Amino acid sequence: MDTLAPTITSAIILSLIISITQPTTNMNHTKIKLMMMFIISLIPLSPMLSNKELTMTSTPMILTPTENINISMTLDLLSLTFMPIALFITWSVLEFSIWYMDSDPNINKFIKYLLIFLIAMLIIITANNMYQLFIGWEAVGIMSFLLIGWWYNRPDANTAALQAIIYNRIGDIGLIMTTVWLMTTSSMNIQEAMISYKATTIPMLGLLAAATGKSAQFTLHPWLPSAMEGPTPVSALLHSSTMVVAGVFLLIRFNPMLQNKTIMTMCLVLGATTTLFAAASATTHFDIKKIIALSTTSQLGLMMTMVGLNQPSLAFLHMITHSFFKALLFLCSGSFIHNLNNEQDVRDMGGLLKTAPMTASFLTTASLSLMGMPFLSGFYSKDTIIEVMMNSHTNSWTLTITLIATILSASYSTRMILFTLTEYPRTKNKPHKETKTIINPLIRLTIMSIMAGTLTKLTTLQNTSLTTMPKMIKLMALVATLVGMTLSNDLFLFTKHLSPKKSKTLSIFFNQMAFFNMLHRFIPMITLKHSQQTFTELIDLWTLESWGPKGLSLTLKPMIHLTTHQKNMMKNYMTTFMISLTLAITILTA
C-alpha cells in the first residue's frame, strides 16, 4: 500500500498531461477519464486516514553546488484528501461545460485549459519542495488570467483578467521572498525546512502576503468579484477547488512555521475582517455571480480565522465542504443565467422554482449548506468552527465580528433564494429542459453537499477544543443562521413594494469594495503622473535643453570667430566705407 499511493498520484497527473497534449479532445472521453481518475484516487485514501505520510522523491534533475533539484511529492492527509475532491469537482464542472459552452467555437481549448488548471492545483497540493510549489502556484495564476479573459473581445473581461494577475503578482512577491529566505538559510524541501526552521518574521509575512493575494483577503480582495466576467464553469472551478483555496492551503501546509503570536493575530484579524466585509458587501449586490463570489471571499476569511486560531485541520475541513456547495451554487446560477438569456440581476429573475424545479432545489440545498443548516455538509465545518471560536479567549473582537458575518451569510443567501425562486417571473423566460447533461453534475454535487460533512466524521478533522460546553454556545451557530434568515425574509417582504431610494453612504461603501478599486488605481496613476512630470518636464524640457544639444550649441564658438577679426558686420562696414569715401571725394574736389 505504501507504494500504491505515489504510483496512483503520478499516473493521474501524467494521464492529465497526456490528455492536454493531444491535438483534439473528445469531451465525452475526457469526462469518463476524469470519473475513472476520481474513483482510482479514492483507493489510497483509506490508509491515509490514520495520518500516515508518504514522500516520493526522484533522482536529482538539476545538480548545483549548493542544492540538488528534484521532483518530490508528499502524500499525506491533506494532499490525498483534496486530490479526489479536485478531480470530482473538475469532472462535474467539465460535464456542465460541455452543455454551457456548446456554442463556443473554441470549446476544445476551453476544456484543455480547465484540465491544466486541475494539473496546476494537483502540483500545489502534492509539492514537497518550494520549486514545485512555485510552478503550480504560478500556473494557477496564468490559467485564471486566460480563463477569466476567455471572452477577450469584452473590455470588462480583459480588465478583470489583468486585475486577477496583477493582484496575484503582488501576493507572489511574498512567496518569492519566503522561497529566497528558505534557500539562503534553510532548505527548499518543505519537510526539512519545517524541521530546521527558526521562528523568523520575514518568511511568515511572505507566506501571509502570498495567501492574502491568492485567497483574496481584505486589501487584495477586489479581483475576486471582478473575476465573474469569465464563463460560469470557470467561476465554479476557480472558487471551489482551485486557485482561491491555494492561499489557505499554503498556510495549512506551512502551519508549523506560523507558530508566532504576532503572525497568528494578523491571520486572525485579517480573516475576521475579510469575513465580515465580504458578507456585508454581498448584501448590497444584486448580480447573482457577484453575490456567490463575495460569499467565497467570506468563507475564505473564515478559513483564515481558523488558521489564526491555530486550527488548520478545521480550516481544511471547511475548505473541503465549501468546495462542493460553492461549485454547486455557481453551476446552478449558470443554468439560470443561460435560461434567462444571460440575465444576472436577481431582481429580474423570479419564479424559477416553477420553470426549473430541480435546479432550484439544488440551489436551495447549496445555500442552506452555506448557511450551516444542521446535517448538511456546511454545518459540520461551520458549526465546529463557531464552537471553537466561542470557546476561545484569543481575541473577542474577531470572534464577535465573525458571528455577525455568519448572520449576514444567512441573510444574503436567503435573499438570493427569495429573489430568484419565489414570486413571479420578472423577465422573459425561455426555459430549457433539465436534461441529463445539466442535471447529472448538479445531482452529484448536491449529494456531496449533503454527505461530505458526514463522511468527514471518519477522519480526525472534526475536533473541537472542548467536548462539553454550555447549551447556548453549542447552539450559537444555529441561532445566528436563523436570525439571519428571519431578518432577510422580513426585509424582503417589507421592502419589495417600496419605490427605489438613493443608496446610503454605508451601502455604497460596501458595494464599491470599500473603494479599494479606486484606491488601487489612484496610487499607480499618481505614481505614473509624477514619473511623467519628472521625466518630461525636469529631464526632457530642462536638463536636455540646458545641457543637451541646445546647451552644447551655446557653448561652441563659430570657427569664423576663431580664425579672423571679421565680425559679420558687412552692412556696417560697407556703410562706413561709403560714407568715408563720399566725404573724401567731397573734400578732394572742393
Side-chain angles (χ1 to χ4, degrees):
M1 188 60 79
D2 284 359
T3 57
L4 188 63
T7 310
I8 287 173
T9 308
S10 307
I12 287 169
I13 294 172
L14 284 170
S15 179
L16 285 167
I17 292 167
I18 291 164
S19 297
I20 60 169
T21 53
Q22 292 171 352
T24 54
T25 308
N26 185 320
M27 282 170 283
N28 284 322
H29 285 180
T30 309
K31 180 184 76 178
I32 293 162
K33 195 183 288 184
L34 274 172
M35 180 185 71
M36 294 303 295
M37 285 179 194
F38 161 67
I39 293 164
I40 292 165
S41 70
L42 293 172
I43 296 167
L45 190 59
S46 53
M48 289 304 113
L49 296 178
S50 57
N51 281 340
K52 282 176 72 179
E53 188 172 333
L54 297 171
T55 305
M56 182 178 69
T57 307
S58 70
T59 51
M61 301 182 74
I62 301 170
L63 298 169
T64 65
T66 54
E67 190 160 14
N68 297 333
I69 299 169
N70 50 29
I71 294 173
S72 181
M73 294 167 72
T74 182
L75 302 172
D76 56 357
L77 185 66
L78 294 178
S79 51
L80 286 174
T81 308
F82 204 70
M83 187 163 57
I85 291 165
L87 287 163
F88 180 87
I89 289 168
T90 310
W91 165 37
S92 302
V93 168
L94 189 137
E95 189 173 344
F96 187 84
S97 303
I98 294 169
W99 167 75
Y100 192 84
M101 304 293 287
D102 184 50
S103 58
D104 197 291
N106 296 317
I107 186 168
N108 270 331
K109 190 197 282 186
F110 183 80
I111 298 297
K112 284 182 179 178
Y113 280 7
L114 291 183
L115 292 177
I116 297 168
F117 216 156
L118 172 64
I119 292 165
M121 193 60 199
L122 292 180
I123 290 169
I124 288 173
I125 62 175
T126 57
N128 195 36
N129 62 46
M130 293 302 288
Y131 301 113
Q132 259 171 268
L133 182 72
F134 192 70
I135 289 165
W137 189 267
E138 291 303 306
V140 288
I142 293 162
M143 294 320 299
S144 69
F145 171 74
L146 294 171
L147 285 165
I148 292 165
W150 180 257
W151 291 316
Y152 49 80
N153 54 344
R154 289 166 54 188
D156 284 353
N158 278 330
T159 307
L162 275 170
Q163 204 174 349
I165 200 84
I166 290 164
Y167 276 96
N168 277 288
R169 295 308 297 161
I170 295 166
D172 291 349
I173 295 166
L175 188 67
I176 293 165
M177 188 169 74
T178 303
T179 307
V180 170
W181 190 90
L182 289 173
M183 191 187 290
T184 51
T185 62
S186 182
S187 169
M188 293 297 280
N189 185 297
I190 292 170
Q191 290 170 327
E192 290 173 13
M194 285 194 281
I195 292 165
S196 61
Y197 175 72
K198 294 179 183 66
T200 312
T201 311
I202 292 170
M204 294 188 217
L205 282 173
L207 290 172
L208 185 58
T212 304
K214 194 67 84 180
S215 292
Q217 297 299 294
F218 188 70
T219 64
L220 294 177
H221 57 275
W223 75 267
L224 202 59
S226 302
M228 295 303 97
E229 291 297 331
T232 307
V234 173
S235 305
L237 195 59
L238 186 90
H239 286 247
S240 57
S241 59
T242 57
M243 183 70 177
V244 293
V245 296
V248 178
F249 189 89
L250 180 79
L251 294 182
I252 296 168
R253 171 71 80 207
F254 281 94
N255 188 62
M257 283 175 66
L258 299 174
Q259 301 307 312
N260 177 299
K261 282 184 180 178
T262 309
I263 296 294
M264 283 295 193
T265 308
M266 285 175 73
C267 282
L268 189 64
V269 172
L270 184 67
T273 309
T274 307
T275 307
L276 181 64
F277 174 77
S281 295
T283 57
T284 65
H285 277 82
F286 291 100
D287 184 322
I288 188 167
K289 283 176 75 177
K290 282 197 174 173
I291 293 168
I292 301 169
L294 285 161
S295 138
T296 304
T297 312
S298 184
Q299 301 308 308
L300 289 165
L302 203 57
M303 295 173 209
M304 182 70 89
T305 309
M306 280 298 102
V307 171
L309 278 177
N310 199 19
Q311 294 282 348
S313 60
L314 282 183
F316 185 63
L317 173 65
H318 195 54
M319 192 192 294
I320 291 169
T321 55
H322 171 261
S323 296
F324 295 114
F325 60 71
K326 192 47 57 80
L328 179 58
L329 277 169
F330 270 113
L331 295 188
C332 289
S333 70
S335 178
F336 288 152
I337 290 162
H338 212 288
N339 203 346
L340 300 169
N341 294 327
N342 299 320
E343 181 56 66
Q344 290 183 205
D345 195 316
V346 290
R347 292 168 295 186
D348 292 332
M349 295 185 180
L352 288 165
L353 189 61
K354 297 287 192 329
T355 55
M358 289 186 79
T359 313
S361 59
F362 297 151
L363 181 83
T364 310
T365 307
S367 296
L368 290 172
S369 187
L370 168 65
M371 292 179 212
M373 197 52 67
F375 312 116
L376 297 177
S377 66
F379 166 76
Y380 289 98
S381 55
K382 209 167 185 180
D383 189 74
T384 316
I385 283 170
I386 289 167
E387 281 174 17
V388 169
M389 286 174 58
M390 295 303 291
N391 287 303
S392 163
H393 302 287
T394 309
N395 188 323
S396 56
W397 175 80
T398 55
L399 308 182
T400 308
I401 66 168
T402 309
L403 205 59
I404 296 166
T406 308
I407 295 170
L408 290 172
S409 295
S411 175
Y412 65 70
S413 299
T414 308
R415 189 186 65 144
M416 186 174 73
I417 292 170
L418 293 171
F419 267 118
T420 53
L421 307 181
T422 61
E423 301 279 313
Y424 51 86
R426 288 181 282 272
T427 187
K428 282 188 178 179
N429 190 346
K430 293 181 181 177
H432 53 70
K433 289 181 180 177
E434 293 183 311
T435 57
K436 282 184 180 179
T437 321
I438 310 164
I439 294 302
N440 280 354
L442 298 182
I443 289 173
R444 283 198 297 273
L445 287 166
T446 306
I447 291 166
M448 287 310 293
S449 294
I450 297 165
M451 296 294 295
T454 315
L455 291 172
T456 51
K457 282 280 183 196
L458 302 170
T459 69
T460 55
L461 291 172
Q462 288 188 36
N463 57 342
T464 53
S465 53
L466 290 171
T467 50
T468 58
M469 60 191 81
K471 191 183 288 182
M472 199 59 218
I473 287 181
K474 186 73 178 169
L475 293 172
M476 189 55 76
L478 185 60
V479 168
T481 302
L482 291 173
V483 166
M485 289 175 73
T486 310
L487 289 173
S488 183
N489 188 41
D490 286 355
L491 194 67
F492 177 76
L493 292 171
F494 290 147
T495 57
K496 66 179 178 181
H497 298 302
L498 295 178
S499 56
K501 292 179 182 176
K502 191 178 178 183
S503 296
K504 291 181 180 175
T505 310
L506 191 65
S507 178
I508 294 167
F509 173 79
F510 284 116
N511 187 269
Q512 295 298 314
M513 304 278 106
F515 305 110
F516 268 86
N517 265 328
M518 286 181 268
L519 179 69
H520 288 154
R521 288 177 184 177
F522 177 72
I523 294 166
M525 284 302 293
I526 290 289
T527 311
L528 287 168
K529 190 76 179 169
H530 181 69
S531 306
Q532 184 188 16
Q533 285 176 337
T534 304
F535 278 90
T536 55
E537 294 175 15
L538 186 65
I539 294 175
D540 290 358
L541 297 178
W542 177 67
T543 314
L544 292 176
E545 292 284 324
S546 303
W547 300 345
K550 280 192 177 179
L552 288 170
S553 69
L554 293 172
T555 60
L556 294 173
K557 283 271 185 191
M559 286 299 289
I560 193 164
H561 291 174
L562 303 174
T563 55
T564 176
H565 292 292
Q566 178 61 263
K567 300 293 183 187
N568 290 339
M569 297 169 71
M570 291 301 292
K571 284 183 181 178
N572 296 349
Y573 295 154
M574 288 301 293
T575 306
T576 310
F577 177 71
M578 288 304 296
I579 291 168
S580 303
L581 188 63
T582 308
L583 286 170
I585 291 168
T586 307
I587 291 164
L588 289 170
T589 54

